[in-house]
């Protein structure tokens, strides 16, 4: 566990202000709970096994002395499970849980997609024809003179079956570079359907099944790939077809987007279906009139966590905050309703809401919270459910108390950088391609590309690790692609506006950003949208000049404040796709040297990518840059950087 910096809880002034208000209001938020609940040192390093009722068995590494082979032989669980088996089993279970979460999201989207295609979900339709046809081509679905709906039904049914594919290979795996697919075959990790891989992961980690750490970690790779190139990619692609592929959009972020004189409604969680409908219903003049009848000036919809990213990317709906700010939005005293679906929703919001008038509304049949209101969302009656929810929020407006304080803190950001948009921005409408990006990497203006993603973690200073790392990367000419709560941290810090290029980026990166008119840090969406990064990386490979596999690219990944099991699955599929990936905050196998060495070193021989753990964001960024430089050298383009001097001709060429 990284050293705790409890003096500074957050670098975000809105967060700091609301933590103080929470303390004076007697609302016990996550920052305070974390101060009294210390992490278990044995569990956090992966040295505790609770897979049967003879334990839990603890097998931590003895501290401060060298262990004899005999002592090591005795340091096993009651069943004889070695510390390696225990650490690898824990790691695989985390991967499986994360893969399951993303993929169950993808499945729910697929169900909604099929309903929309069949005309059974009023309010949902096939919005993005171009992407529909692209995906149809990728999957070999007949286009001919069939209607969009007919094509969509075929795509939806193929995707739906893909989750439960018992044998063979997931559909979107074929999008990966050929060399990568060959490598997956060779390593025996080309996944079947994600349901099968997750079930097998749970089976293998059951007491007394797979007891070889390398075999367990192979299943971790396979399970995670079924997430990244399977469940998550299906979620992203079908969401885009149904709700529109994102394109650049200007919006605002932080608690200061809440409004004193309007009904404030936050949608928090992950799946975009309900959020899409709320975005429509909150604009309905009839609803706005109703809000006025209750004394409000209007209805203000804002997002939180990844649902926020979804509706930000497609509609420019403002974001109230990232993971660690969810309770603080209630603490403002100005929130009429927090509507939640699945994932990353702290149960703590139910208790905090008791100190204020906020209504917590759960909406998903898989996620109830004791002591809250449940209004179930059904895609077949999407408009009606959304209206009922908005009405409940409006009805709660007169109950708002006097204890209201909204921090006057918000930042502008530009989001909406889908793979298609990046392609278009770089190459233009008729020549869409990654060529200009590849060329600028080859000529050294851009040193490489980094994906910085993932959560907030209360054990480190909120947002600080993300922002420090990303600033270090762009200063060194690394173009940064972001998703999740990490993207929100950097947006709050002002890194997602075009002007940030001149202020924070190195000269080469700044030149390119200014010529194209993009920020040096690009927001690609929610955590399932990490699939967009896989697609972007593949597009770079296919465009040529940077090797023939993702592992050849001068690229790296990071989740510097991760906390969720989903982050482990994401990191693992990046590694198994050939990306060097650094995590901060904590590392779940640190108690075992063999397993940790395998993940940090041996994995590179198997997949061309590997894990690393480094809580210090500057050091972590330097590790990523060193990896990027290593790849540049292997490609023979390391010299180009040394020669880059910007004369007028080069500047003109950029424009
Ligand atoms: Ni990702 Fe999104 Fe945030 Fe972490 Fe949670 S909201 S899916 S898991 S905390 S980035």
């Amino acid at each position: 566990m990284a050293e705790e910096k409890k003096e500074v809880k957050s670098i975000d002034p809105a967060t700091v202000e609301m933590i103080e208000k929470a303390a004076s209001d007697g609302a016990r938020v996550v920052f305070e709970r974390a101060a009294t609940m210390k992490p278990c040192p044995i569990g956090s390093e992966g040295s505790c096994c609770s897979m049967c009722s003879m334990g839990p068995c603890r097998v931590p590494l003895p501290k401060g002395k060298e262990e004899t082979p005999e002592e090591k032989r005795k340091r096993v669980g009651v069943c004889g499970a070695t510390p390696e088996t225990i650490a690898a089993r824990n790691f695989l279970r985390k991967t499986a849980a994360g893969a399951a979460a993303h993929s169950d999201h993808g499945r729910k989207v697929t169900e909604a997609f099929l309903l929309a295609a069949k005309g059974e979900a009023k309010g949902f339709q096939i919005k993005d024809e171009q992407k529909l046809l692209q995906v149809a081509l990728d999957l070999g679905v007949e286009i001919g003179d069939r209607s969009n709906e007919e094509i969509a039904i075929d795509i939806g049914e193929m995707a739906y079956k893909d989750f439960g594919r018992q044998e063979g290979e997931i559909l979107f795996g074929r999008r990966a570079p050929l060399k990568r697919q060959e490598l997956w075959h060779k390593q025996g990790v080309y996944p079947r359907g994600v349901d099968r891989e997750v079930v097998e992961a749970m089976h293998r980690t059951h007491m007394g099944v797979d007891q070889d750490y390398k075999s367990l970690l192979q299943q971790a790779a396979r399970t995670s790939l079924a997430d990244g190139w399977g469940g998550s990619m299906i979620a992203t692609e079908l969401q885009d077809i149904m709700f529109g592929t994102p394109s650049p959009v200007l919006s605002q972020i932080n608690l200061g987007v809440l409004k004193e004189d309007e009904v404030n409604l936050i949608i928090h969680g992950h799946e975009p279906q309900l959020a899409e409908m709320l975005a429509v219903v909150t604009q309905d003049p009839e609803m706005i009139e109703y809000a006025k009848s209750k004394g409000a000036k209007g209805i203000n919809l804002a997002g939180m966590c990844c649902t926020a990213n979804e509706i930000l990317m497609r509609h420019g709906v403002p974001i109230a905050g990232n993971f660690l700010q969810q309770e603080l939005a209630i603490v403002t005293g100005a929130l009429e309703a927090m509507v939640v679906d699945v994932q990353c929703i702290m149960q703590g919001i139910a208790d905090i809401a008791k100190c204020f008038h906020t209504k917590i509304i759960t909406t998903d049949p898989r996620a109830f919270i004791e002591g809250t209101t449940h209004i179930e969302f059904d895609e077949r009656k999407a408009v009606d459910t959304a209206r009922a929810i908005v009405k409940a929020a409006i009805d709660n407006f007169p109950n708002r108390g006097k204890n209201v304080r909204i921090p006057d803190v918000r930042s502008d950001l530009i989001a909406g950088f889908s793979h298609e948009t990046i392609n278009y921005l770089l190459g233009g409408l008729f020549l869409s391609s990654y060529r200009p990006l590849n060329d600028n990497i080859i000529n050294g203006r851009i040193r490489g590309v980094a994906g910085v993603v993932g959560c907030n973690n209360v054990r480190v200073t909120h947002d600080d690790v993300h922002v420090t790392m990303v600033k270090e990367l762009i200063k060194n000419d690394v173009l940064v692609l972001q998703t999740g709560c990490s993207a929100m941290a950097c947006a709050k810090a002002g890194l997602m506006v075009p002007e940030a290029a001149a202020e924070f980026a190195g000269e080469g990166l700044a030149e390119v950003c200014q010529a194209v008119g993009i920020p040096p840090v690009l927001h690609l969406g929610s955590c399932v949208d990490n699939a967009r990064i896989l697609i972007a990386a593949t597009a770079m490979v296919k465009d040529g000049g940077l090797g023939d596999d993702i592992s050849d690219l001068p690229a790296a990944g990071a989740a510097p404040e991760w906390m969720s099991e989903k982050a482990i699955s994401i990191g693992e599929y990046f590694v198994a796709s050939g990306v060097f990936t650094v995590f901060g905050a904590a590392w779940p196998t640190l108690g075992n040297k063999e397993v940790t060495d395998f993940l940090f070193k041996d994995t590179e021989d198997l997949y061309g990518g590997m894990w690393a753990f480094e809580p210090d964001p500057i050091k972590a960024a330097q590790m990523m840059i060193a990896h990027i430089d290593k790849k540049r050298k292997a490609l023979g383009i390391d010299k180009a950087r040394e020669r880059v001097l910007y004369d007028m001709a080069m500047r003109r060429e950029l424009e």
Side-chain angles (χ1 to χ4, degrees):
M1 178 57 60
E3 212 169 293
E4 285 184 41
K5 296 190 262 175
K6 291 316 296 175
E7 338 67 74
V8 190
K9 294 193 170 81
S10 174
I11 57 161
D12 167 26
T15 297
V16 173
E17 187 181 337
M18 284 303 102
I19 292 173
E20 282 162 13
K21 181 173 187 294
S24 67
D25 291 348
R28 208 165 162 259
V29 297
V30 55
F31 294 91
E32 197 191 323
R33 294 191 298 270
T36 48
M37 171 66 75
K38 292 292 164 202
C40 163
I42 300 172
S44 75
E45 63 169 41
S47 297
C48 174
C49 179
S50 60
M51 273 132 202
C52 82
S53 73
M54 299 190 289
C57 298
R58 286 134 297 147
V59 292
L61 202 62
K63 301 269 155 22
K65 72 176 183 77
E66 197 59 31
E67 194 178 24
T68 66
E70 192 49 28
E71 284 167 339
K72 166 108 206 278
R73 205 163 65 79
K74 287 190 188 147
R75 188 163 56 86
V76 293
V78 173
C79 70
T82 63
E84 290 76 58
T85 294
I86 291 172
R89 275 203 297 229
N90 286 329
F91 186 81
L92 175 52
R93 281 220 169 171
K94 283 190 196 304
T95 310
H102 285 142
S103 298
D104 213 35
H105 166 168
R107 186 198 327 267
K108 204 62 191 296
V109 167
T110 309
E111 287 170 347
F113 182 87
L114 275 168
L115 287 174
K118 290 175 186 166
E120 290 168 24
K122 194 168 154 258
F124 292 141
Q125 70 270 82
I126 304 303
K127 254 197 194 155
D128 191 333
E129 186 181 28
Q130 210 179 337
K131 184 133 191 184
L132 175 86
L133 299 180
Q134 183 56 53
V135 172
L137 284 175
D138 286 357
L139 297 182
V141 170
E142 191 202 324
I143 297 176
D145 52 6
R146 301 168 79 208
S147 70
N148 285 351
E149 286 66 31
E150 285 170 314
I151 298 170
I153 290 171
D154 278 5
I155 291 177
E157 279 169 358
M158 278 176 89
Y160 205 39
K161 275 195 206 126
D162 208 38
F163 290 95
R165 178 180 301 280
Q166 301 302 323
E167 285 174 1
E169 294 154 0
I170 52 167
L171 289 170
F172 282 137
R174 64 180 78 151
R175 284 179 160 182
L178 279 178
K179 204 168 160 198
R180 183 62 21 193
Q181 295 185 56
E182 281 163 18
L183 187 141
W184 291 339
H185 283 133
K186 186 169 149 230
Q187 300 302 343
V189 296
Y190 207 129
R192 301 156 294 181
V194 66
D195 293 358
R196 172 131 204 203
E197 300 305 352
V198 170
V199 167
E200 185 167 316
M202 296 308 285
H203 178 199
R204 286 198 195 200
T205 51
H206 182 274
M207 192 270 144
V209 186
D210 200 355
Q211 290 158 104
D212 176 331
Y213 74 89
K214 291 181 188 169
S215 165
L216 287 158
L217 296 177
Q218 181 193 32
Q219 180 61 16
R222 183 151 67 157
T223 308
S224 71
L225 289 170
D227 170 4
W229 296 87
S232 280
M233 200 172 281
I234 290 174
T236 294
E237 299 300 79
L238 300 194
Q239 284 168 188
D240 279 358
I241 297 173
M242 203 168 16
F243 305 129
T245 302
S247 57
V249 56
L250 175 69
S251 189
Q252 289 198 312
I253 180 164
N254 217 335
L255 291 169
V257 305
L258 297 178
K259 296 195 176 143
E260 194 112 13
D261 48 9
E262 294 192 13
V263 173
N264 288 306
L265 190 153
I266 284 182
I267 170 88
H268 170 24
H270 283 77
E271 295 175 4
Q273 300 90 295
L274 170 60
E276 282 284 330
M277 220 25 92
L278 288 176
V280 175
V281 169
T282 48
Q283 303 290 321
D284 180 348
E286 203 182 296
M287 279 312 209
I288 296 171
E289 268 319 301
Y290 186 61
K292 286 184 179 159
S293 78
K294 298 286 175 180
K297 286 215 169 112
I299 311 166
N300 180 37
L301 176 68
M304 187 143 262
C305 285
C306 279
T307 300
N309 284 328
E310 299 280 2
I311 48 173
L312 162 78
M313 295 279 285
R314 297 195 180 88
H315 303 284
V317 172
I319 296 187
N322 52 4
F323 176 69
L324 282 180
Q325 291 180 285
Q326 54 186 286
E327 294 169 321
L328 304 177
I330 302 172
V331 172
T332 61
L335 185 61
E336 275 57 57
M338 181 174 273
V339 183
V340 303
D341 57 18
V342 290
Q343 300 169 24
C344 301
I345 298 144
M346 292 192 200
Q347 191 170 356
I349 58 172
D351 183 61
I352 308 290
K354 287 187 194 135
C355 307
F356 301 90
H357 75 304
T358 308
K359 230 182 170 68
I360 306 290
I361 304 175
T362 58
T363 59
D364 191 284
R366 296 163 297 180
F368 290 81
I369 301 175
E370 201 186 330
T372 63
T373 308
H374 188 77
I375 303 180
E376 198 151 302
F377 178 63
D378 176 351
E379 278 87 358
R380 289 177 197 83
K381 294 179 266 171
V383 183
D384 296 343
T385 326
R387 288 181 78 89
I389 288 169
V390 175
K391 184 171 179 300
I394 296 171
D395 287 337
N396 199 23
F397 183 76
N399 299 327
R400 195 190 280 185
K402 293 260 173 296
N403 182 14
V404 172
R405 193 161 95 226
I406 301 172
D408 189 15
V409 185
R410 63 196 80 74
S411 306
D412 286 342
L413 81 153
I414 293 186
F417 292 94
S418 56
H419 150 73
E420 289 79 357
T421 298
I422 298 174
N423 215 7
Y424 165 70
L425 281 176
L426 291 171
L429 183 56
F430 301 109
L431 277 175
S432 318
S433 85
Y434 276 63
R435 197 67 251 155
L437 176 62
N438 284 22
D439 284 345
N440 279 303
I441 291 175
I442 293 165
N443 70 28
R445 287 191 192 100
I446 296 177
R447 188 177 201 147
V449 178
V452 182
V453 308
C455 326
N456 291 141
N457 184 323
V458 74
R459 301 297 174 189
V460 299
T461 301
H462 171 235
D463 287 352
D464 182 41
V465 201
H466 292 298
V467 173
T468 309
M469 171 185 277
V470 169
K471 280 187 177 167
E472 181 70 9
L473 289 168
I474 59 176
K475 189 175 95 188
N476 286 284
D477 294 316
V478 176
L479 175 71
V480 176
L481 311 181
Q482 293 212 279
T483 60
C485 292
S486 183
M488 299 185 196
C490 293
K492 283 187 273 173
L495 300 180
M496 289 191 173
V497 287
E499 303 79 59
E503 195 176 341
F504 300 104
E507 197 188 347
L509 176 63
E511 295 253 2
V512 177
C513 290
Q514 284 162 349
V516 185
I518 52 171
V521 182
L522 304 182
H523 194 330
L524 271 71
S526 66
C527 286
V528 293
D529 291 337
N530 283 315
R532 295 190 202 279
I533 301 184
L534 297 177
I535 295 173
T538 304
M540 287 168 71
V541 171
K542 292 191 173 160
D543 224 279
L546 294 174
D548 49 12
D549 194 357
I550 295 173
S551 55
D552 295 332
L553 296 173
E561 298 184 21
W562 79 279
M563 62 87 203
S564 141
E565 289 162 319
K566 288 179 288 176
I568 291 288
S569 180
I570 293 168
E572 181 69 10
Y573 72 64
F574 269 103
V575 167
S577 299
V579 182
F580 170 61
T581 304
V582 193
F583 270 35
W587 183 253
T589 70
L590 275 191
N592 188 270
K593 192 174 174 324
E594 284 80 354
V595 169
T596 305
D597 281 352
F598 186 85
L599 291 169
F600 289 12
K601 295 184 192 133
D602 306 357
T603 304
E604 187 173 21
D605 298 333
L606 300 176
Y607 304 108
M610 67 289 197
W611 286 95
F613 169 59
E614 176 49 66
D616 180 319
I618 299 283
K619 284 190 199 152
Q622 288 302 335
M623 288 163 82
M624 295 162 80
I625 292 166
H627 180 81
I628 285 170
D629 286 349
K630 180 174 103 179
K631 294 295 172 184
R632 293 188 67 86
K633 192 155 187 234
L635 289 165
I637 55 172
D638 51 325
K639 295 284 178 292
R641 264 192 76 70
E642 291 158 18
R643 284 201 300 270
V644 177
L645 286 168
Y646 295 88
D647 56 23
M648 276 319 287
M650 284 169 80
R651 276 166 212 266
R652 266 198 300 274
E653 180 208 321
L654 264 172
E655 284 146 22

